Amino acid sequence: MAESTQVNDVISVGHDGDIALICIDNPPVNATGQAVRQGLEEAISSLNEDGSAKVIAIYCAGRTFVAGADIREFGKPPQPPSLSDVLDQIERSEIPVISIIHGTALGGGFELALSTHARVAIKGARIGLPEILLGLLPGAGGTQRLPRLAGIPWSLDVILSGRQVKAEEALEKGAVDRVTEGEPRAVALAAAQDVLDGKLATRRTAELKTEANQKALDDTLAMVTKKNPHLFSPGKCVEAIAASTLPLDEGMKVERACFIACMETPQRSGLIHAFFGERAVSNIPEAKGDTRPLAKVGVIGGGTMGSGITTSCLMAGIPVRLIEVAQDGLDRGVATITKNLDGAVSRGKMSSDKRDAALAMLEPSIAMEDLADVDLVIEAVFEKMEIKKEIFGKLDTICKEGAILASNTSYLDINKIADMTNRPQDVLGLHFFSPAHVMRLLEIVQGAKTAPDALATGFQLAKKLGKVGVLAQVCDGFIGNRILGHYGKVAAYIVQDGASPQQVDDALEAFGFAMGPHKVGDLAGLDIGYMTRQRKKEEGLDPDERYGGTLADKICEKGWYGRKTGKGYYLYETGAPIPNPEVETLLAETRAELGIEPKAMSDQDIVDRYMTAMISEAARVVEDGTAKRPVDVDMVFLFGYGFPRFRGGPLHYADTIGAAELVARIETYAKEDPHYWQVPELLRKMAADGRTFADLNKES
Ligand code: T1G
């Protein structure tokens, strides 16, 4: 290389005879932040002014080609030059410009490649336009240039799915021009030389024409509207892609308008909060530092949870010794695990070879002594403290020094369990969510004496399993179930006071939940809630608290537990749930017994009460430190409770209402029931200070 000049901190230009190499070096993913855009603009214009170079190749340093626009800039005042303008300039360059793709060229990164006159991918590279996952659409020409190269149908698939596409598929579809091997810079030099030698053709995408395909557009619009009725950007994606049959400058105007419309929606804010939140929850001191080995895991309990946890570990390549008390239980566990793995294969989540290898790493046993050499034990047996205490007492003597002893309990006190051992520093909670091999949330519960390296190992396990590990402190129900325990009552109150179970479900599904609380209860089994209510009755109910379980108790006392009995709040004989007409009778009985005159409630009132209840307990969970920050609560609900992702989580959604309005609402509701509706101190302070939960996230 004759010489290399640094245009700015992130862009350099090297020369080798007739070849100019532009290198982007903006860790961690070469996002097209302002410096990258400005540097590219300056480099392209100076090379064209100078005119000595006969071909320009753009490549990236580091682990990947540009992975997109810098998402951290969104929602802030735009800083020129815009990516669109820079890409138009590249496309208009008199000197042919090619791009060398390695790693993941996504979003604005792949749009950069599309604006060049040829694209060379290095084997293993993937391209994609995942803006839809952020509530957006490709806003720098992707909806206009990709259809010109690869046609409308394939462009609709790639843009509406947001999926990553292997280089070979992109080559087959014409989205890239060559797939080769080697290091980016060497490939750039070789490809540029091929351009000069006429071995690699170049062309301006703008000069290509998109073949019209109204049917593909109409079919896709119908499909996305049905699949995601709540989302705004899919329809805008189709609208922009449809404009790719227009002259480029006109199509770009349509794309711009669609992009701005998406940018302005709360959905974009919610989805980007979810993107960064998923990463933020493990970006804490407790998740870093020394960890312990995780070569082999022991799981106690072959029931639904134990089998799911075992499946999750095996799918991540971690050998598991599964313990059950008797052979028949062990056989059932192994059968469930086998079924789970077969399901993963049929869903295309793993190859059958990988499934066989996973199964080969399973060592079933009915002897707890076989846990002597494991690095981590996850107990997943009945939610009875006595049983857990007995098990942990035995583990204390069986397991090797330094082995981590974890309980999958969903609400019991980890400190009490730890105190059954002489090694409380090795004990923590690992609360998986059912089905454990599918749900991504893992609440990592820190005991009072849990050692830092044991806790950090919990986060390492989450990463290995592809789960979202969230730190929780000990309390009844930790983060998610504690909050659920609170707002679940308000759904019962709303039904007692006048709404039907179906109206509550319909209102919350219109808000964005995949399933309303009564359908969820039917799915999980109404008997679980029934047992909890009976347990609490035995322990002595709070006399000041309104009991909301009367209807649910009546339903369970009929033996109607939901899907598993074919009848619950809904009937399941035909498959799709239909409201159980006998529930109406039981509800009338309940209201009569409680002396309630039912009053009509609007869907909005139902959503407001339900969400305000959820937000108020979530605020308390942040206030008392059970959750580290509001974003941790949000991620618990996105990854463990089916909260609508486009709303970002309960506390991100709370910011769209505002603390002052929430306080006013709670004070209004408190007139009906001052015991249940109490204003959390944190919310009152936020209302007084004008702060948001986003502010609290930044402060922590
Ligand atoms: N902007 C800013 N930061 C980003 C980023 C981005 N686009 N992508 C990743 N990061 C950060 C991330 O927060 C983390 O930071 C670090 O990089 C490593 O990421 C105009 C409008 C590329 C597949 O949607 O899918 O272009 O936590 O932990 O698992 O049309 O990151 O270390 O501080 O995820 O190896 C479109 C989003 C943007 C791609 C790598 N692009 N990124 O995964 O690492 S919109 C995307 C990813 C756009 C244009 C539109 C993944 C990855 P920290 P990571 P990874």
Side-chain angles (χ1 to χ4, degrees), residues 554-570:
K554 287 178 183 291
I555 291 173
C556 288
E557 280 144 21
K558 290 275 188 186
W560 304 338
Y561 297 153
R563 277 180 192 269
K564 59 184 168 185
T565 57
K567 193 182 250 193
Y569 285 100
Y570 296 85

Side-chain angles (χ1 to χ4, degrees), residues 139 187 431 443 616 674 686:
V187 168
H431 178 212
E443 282 183 325
S616 54
M686 287 168 67

Side-chain angles (χ1 to χ4, degrees), residues 27-33 63-74 83-84 87 104-111 126 128-134 136-142 164 255-256 259 263 272 275-276 278-280 282-283 463:
V29 296
N30 288 312
T32 56
R63 60 188 180 140
T64 178
F65 189 75
V66 175
D70 189 332
I71 307 175
R72 286 164 304 188
E73 290 181 352
F74 294 169
L83 186 58
S84 271
L87 303 193
T104 47
L106 302 173
F110 185 50
E111 290 175 297
R126 295 188 303 282
L129 293 170
E131 289 86 342
I132 196 167
L133 306 179
L134 301 174
L136 295 167
L137 54 84
Q164 293 185 13
E255 178 189 89
R256 189 85 205 131
F259 180 77
M263 188 59 97
I272 286 179
F275 173 85
F276 284 119
E278 183 180 342
R279 291 153 177 84
S282 56
N283 200 7
K463 191 174 173 77

Side-chain angles (χ1 to χ4, degrees), residues 514-532:
M515 264 199 272
H518 300 94
K519 283 195 190 118
V520 171
D522 273 1
L523 181 64
L526 300 174
D527 47 330
I528 297 171
Y530 183 72
M531 284 189 287
T532 304

